[in-house]
Amino acid sequence: MPRLSEVIAELDALWPPDRAEQWDAVGTVCGDPDARVGRVLFAVDPVQEIVDEAVSLGADLIVAHHPLYLRGTTTVAAGHFKGRVVHDLIKNDIALHVAHTNADTADPGVSDALAGALGLRVTGPLVPENGLGRICELDRPETLAEFAARAAARLPATAQGIRVAGDPGTPVRRVAVSGGSGDSLFDAVRAAGVDAFLTSDLRHHPVSEATQRTPLGLVDAAHWATEWPWCEQAAAQLDAISDRHGWDLRVHVSKTVTDPWSSHHTSSPGAPN
């Protein structure tokens, strides 16, 4: 079995830490560089449910997309939920490694995995300067409603589901996608001249302005759902590395839904009082 340091070196080659945004917190959170690694679990969020799954699985390493401590901390006391994660990881000899914005801009990266899950053909980056997002084409035109239905059918189910802004009958052939929060990318989306934009965490005012200014269709999925396909892509990449080195790693992808929204309710039709 390889040492943790050997596995991390390969992961850093896939997603170089120096490609992360300055505000980000990527890399190895805990783990002994000399420890042996035989089983790896990929997940979006390094939350307690994922740690519990790793313990049950007998994993030696969790590779997560989201950082555990994005803004730093002064304590890892087990009385705090993040401290409990750290305690349980160390107590069970499980390392934690994070690839966040360095995985967003990688090639292939998070948005490539999202495009693949949707069955889209990638034609290039949405933001060429940093490689963020992807511009894609459908094999044949669909209406915005049909494209949204495609997303609902192919992305993991969450309480939020899929939200749509724009004329449901708008023809869609060329789309932009960005895994994770994407409403900071509207300028790039407009410049790309696409028919629709699929991302997550879209806010009221940017959406309102976008739909007033252009016929652009917007498809808003849950943040976790747009990033989960990366776990499968990344696991396949590590599998290939393991085969090349003869490591015989056992690589798993968590199917635990860690999206924080737990239910969705719609109000009765009618004007507000």
Side-chain angles (χ1 to χ4, degrees), residues 101-164:
T101 53
N102 50 329
D104 288 335
T105 58
D107 184 10
V110 172
S111 292
D112 293 289
L114 174 58
L118 295 169
L120 306 175
R121 181 168 62 88
V122 174
T123 61
L126 174 61
V127 185
E129 295 80 9
N130 61 11
L132 194 63
R134 293 294 181 265
I135 298 172
C136 310
E137 290 186 353
L138 282 72
D139 291 334
R140 60 174 182 79
E142 296 179 348
T143 65
L144 178 60
E146 289 171 330
F147 179 62
R150 171 196 289 253
R154 298 192 180 207
L155 293 180
T158 61
Q160 172 184 312
I162 302 293
R163 301 189 300 175
V164 182

Side-chain angles (χ1 to χ4, degrees), residues 38-75:
R39 198 178 296 265
V40 183
L41 178 65
F42 282 84
V44 175
D45 298 299
V47 293
Q48 190 65 49
E49 296 95 322
I50 298 302
V51 175
D52 293 343
E53 182 178 351
V55 172
S56 298
L57 193 64
D60 307 296
L61 168 64
I62 296 172
V63 180
H65 182 51
H66 289 152
L68 178 63
Y69 288 105
L70 185 57
R71 294 177 177 86
T73 185
T74 59
T75 177

Side-chain angles (χ1 to χ4, degrees), residues 3 43 51 53 59 62 97 99 141 161 190 218 231 244 264 270:
R3 291 182 173 85
V51 175
E53 182 178 351
I62 296 172
H97 186 79
R190 281 189 286 269
L218 299 173
C231 294
R244 188 167 70 244
H264 176 83

Side-chain angles (χ1 to χ4, degrees), residues 178-204:
S178 181
S181 304
D183 67 11
S184 65
L185 301 175
F186 273 127
D187 287 345
V189 170
R190 281 189 286 269
V194 296
D195 305 308
F197 178 36
L198 185 148
T199 188
S200 65
D201 297 341
L202 292 178
R203 296 171 296 157
H204 174 91

Side-chain angles (χ1 to χ4, degrees), residues 210-228:
T211 55
Q212 292 294 317
R213 292 173 63 175
T214 69
L216 178 69
L218 299 173
V219 181
D220 183 71
H223 190 120
W224 174 85
T226 65
E227 294 179 331
W228 184 83

Side-chain angles (χ1 to χ4, degrees), residues 167-180:
D167 181 352
T170 297
V172 173
R173 179 63 183 267
R174 225 168 147 255
V175 303
V177 302
S178 181

